[in-house]
Amino acid sequence: MKTLKLGAILLGVGGPGQHNAWLEPDVAADASVDIRWYIARAQEAEAAKFDLVFIVDSQFITKDSPNHYLSRLEPLTLLSAVAVHTSHVGLVGTITTSYNEPFNVARRLYSLDHISGGRAGWNVVATGDAGTAGNYSRAQHFDYATRYGRALEHVRVAQGLWDSYEADAFPRDKERGVFFDPSKQHTLDHRGEHFAVVGPLNLERSPQGQPVIFQAGDSEEGRDLGASIADAIFTHAATLEQAAAFRTELRERAAAKGRDPEHVLIMPGIFPIIADTDEEARARETAILTAKSFDRALAELGRPFGWHDFGRYDLDAPFPEVDADAANSFRTQAEAITRHARENGLTLRQVVEHQLSAHRSPFVGSPRTVADEIQRWFDGGGFDGISISVNSPREFARFTGQVLPILRERGVVRSDYEASTLRGNLGLPIPANRHTAVPASAVS
């Protein structure tokens, strides 16, 4: 029986739209840079049998960036520290393919995979923040086609490097004096459009074969990339119908590429708000939404448009023509905002107000109400798993201590880990090494 997969997105003092998260009494003001905070949250997630913790990242900020983005730890450094304080929970970090080289990424991720005993995951991003180019000696950000072409090739090169050694390449037989079998080492000799990499990687095969690949992207290019390479996909959906349609489409795309659609897991981000009663939870949601800062939201609106400064416009004039600024940024998100504004004749003020109130969660209510809704989406084909943003330890404990027991009693979530690796717990096969004839098998 399939069970719901669980991910925890550790957002410290608060990501986009979470303007006041850091003011909560149980949120440390320096949570985003305190490794003890991350270790504690990962241990709580592991105690609740979560499949993974997830660290988001970007490499360009402005004064208007969300609080968590302004000062936060680098993902793989952070996760390596968390690895030695946990034993089962998966460790997923964001790494850009636009501003890294495949050999370096493959080595860093594989090191985390070995340190953790096979629990590493890579959230592949092509980078939407165009300003990142200025931090990497580039005059301009890559255009959309280049970013996604580079991303696909980057991942394929990394996967090739992870196959540098066959599983039995290192007998380490002291009696025979045989440390390693040279016939089991393989160069890559890749030469493509974006990269040329000889190999081999100087790190042996890991317990799960290769790190798990995650991806998020709603554009045509993003969906195609996800269908090509992703084991799991992060997304967002406002309704069960939207979620189910996205899941169906991504799985159909994966099948068309010759992949097993059952091995493409959809894990959208959700934002549960839990209280003793449904009425209290809805009141709490209203309080959270109304406490958001209009000025911060106006500034954050600029991010999908290449950090365009919307503060220069008359708030009560029609939404400005700024489509060109989104061409090499978060284009799909910017297009959705612009389309909604045009179709409804909204002013800039109304667009910001909509952004402040539009992201109401479907998962609001008493523990039973929230559990019922999660199960309805799961049974209705909306997702294979959920990814929950974590700021407040108290609110996370509400979910793990009040909602999960209901779902566990119903058999929706598992009672214990089934494996010691991330692939094993997600029910994903070990990729066959391209240099052997051994078929893919399930992780134990």
Side-chain angles (χ1 to χ4, degrees):
M1 177 181 175
K2 289 188 175 180
T3 54
L4 181 74
K5 307 308 177 187
L6 300 170
I9 307 171
L10 306 185
L11 284 174
V13 294
Q18 298 179 318
H19 308 143
N20 298 316
W22 73 282
L23 296 174
E24 291 293 322
D26 67 328
V27 176
D30 63 348
S32 296
V33 293
D34 184 357
I35 191 60
R36 295 167 298 180
W37 185 89
Y38 292 99
I39 290 169
R41 303 294 79 76
Q43 290 174 334
E44 290 162 2
E46 186 165 86
K49 312 307 177 187
F50 268 61
D51 292 272
L52 59 99
V53 294
F54 171 45
I55 307 299
V56 299
D57 194 40
S58 62
Q59 298 181 62
F60 174 74
I61 58 170
T62 75
K63 60 181 175 57
D64 297 315
S65 294
N67 293 334
H68 177 63
Y69 291 20
L70 292 170
S71 180
R72 55 179 166 176
L73 301 176
E74 187 278 322
L76 293 195
T77 308
L78 184 166
L79 291 170
S80 294
V82 172
V84 298
H85 291 276
T86 54
S87 59
H88 284 79
V89 71
L91 308 167
V92 182
T94 298
I95 306 176
T96 173
T97 55
S98 293
Y99 296 100
N100 280 292
E101 290 294 317
F103 189 93
N104 190 31
V105 168
R107 190 181 188 206
R108 289 161 56 204
L109 272 166
Y110 227 33
S111 294
L112 175 62
D113 215 27
H114 278 275
I115 290 168
S116 64
R119 294 184 283 134
W122 175 14
N123 179 42
V124 175
V125 297
T127 295
D129 275 319
T132 309
N135 290 332
Y136 285 87
S137 305
R138 288 189 58 85
Q140 288 186 313
H141 191 32
F142 297 105
D143 61 33
Y144 241 70
T146 301
R147 280 158 55 192
Y148 281 95
R150 183 182 169 100
L152 178 59
E153 186 179 340
H154 195 295
V155 173
R156 295 302 187 212
V157 171
Q159 290 172 326
L161 288 168
W162 291 329
D163 283 348
S164 292
Y165 287 110
E166 296 177 44
D168 56 350
F170 290 88
R172 295 184 173 93
D173 188 330
K174 290 190 176 183
E175 289 186 6
R176 293 188 297 128
V178 178
F179 183 76
F180 117 100
D181 181 348
S183 71
K184 305 288 187 177
Q185 182 195 74
H186 304 277
T187 58
L188 184 62
D189 299 317
H190 171 85
R191 185 167 294 276
E193 181 180 356
H194 304 283
F195 304 106
V197 181
V198 176
L201 187 68
N202 52 344
L203 194 54
E204 64 197 77
R205 191 96 169 144
S206 83
Q208 65 173 353
Q210 296 187 3
V212 179
I213 302 295
F214 292 76
Q215 188 268 344
D218 200 33
S219 65
E220 176 65 23
E221 296 91 339
R223 293 185 184 212
D224 194 64
L225 178 65
S228 298
I229 59 140
D231 299 302
I233 293 176
F234 294 124
T235 184
H236 292 282
T239 66
L240 170 56
E241 292 70 26
Q242 290 176 6
F246 178 87
R247 180 172 179 266
T248 297
E249 184 197 345
L250 260 293
R251 289 189 159 206
E252 287 175 349
R253 286 186 186 234
K257 295 177 182 294
R259 301 185 62 204
D260 184 343
E262 293 297 315
H263 296 155
V264 180
L265 307 176
I266 308 301
M267 297 184 64
I270 72 166
F271 304 93
I273 298 176
I274 305 157
D276 292 340
T277 68
D278 292 354
E279 292 74 22
E280 289 175 10
R282 283 192 287 269
R284 195 161 174 280
E285 180 186 41
T286 298
I288 291 171
L289 292 174
T290 55
K292 291 183 178 182
S293 164
F294 181 93
D295 290 340
R296 288 292 300 272
L298 176 65
E300 285 183 7
L301 181 64
R303 188 179 186 224
F305 296 89
W307 282 110
H308 185 83
D309 179 13
F310 283 97
R312 71 178 74 168
Y313 301 102
D314 179 355
L315 288 172
D316 297 307
F319 191 73
E321 300 280 351
V322 293
D323 306 59
D325 290 332
N328 285 331
S329 193
F330 295 94
R331 189 183 70 192
T332 305
Q333 183 183 355
E335 287 176 347
I337 294 170
T338 302
R339 183 168 56 252
H340 178 76
R342 299 280 179 264
E343 290 175 352
N344 294 278
L346 302 182
T347 64
L348 175 57
R349 184 190 303 277
Q350 290 170 325
V351 168
V352 176
E353 290 172 345
H354 175 76
Q355 291 294 107
L356 285 168
S357 62
H359 302 295
R360 288 186 174 272
S361 171
F363 307 97
V364 177
S366 68
R368 187 163 300 279
T369 295
V370 172
D372 288 346
E373 191 66 3
I374 289 173
Q375 184 172 4
R376 186 174 78 87
W377 282 50
F378 182 55
D379 292 343
F383 45 57
D384 302 289
I386 52 177
S387 305
I388 298 173
S389 294
V390 179
N391 304 112
S392 163
R394 181 182 62 231
E395 295 306 316
F396 188 43
R398 272 185 178 269
F399 181 80
T400 60
Q402 298 178 20
V403 176
L404 283 189
I406 297 172
L407 294 172
R408 191 160 283 132
E409 183 180 354
R410 298 173 182 176
V412 177
V413 298
R414 62 162 169 259
S415 297
D416 204 352
Y417 288 110
E418 291 129 9
S420 60
T421 66
L422 179 54
R423 282 189 179 278
N425 286 315
L426 291 176
L428 298 170
I430 298 174
N433 188 305
R434 68 194 64 194
H435 302 293
T436 67
V438 179
S441 62
V443 174
S444 61

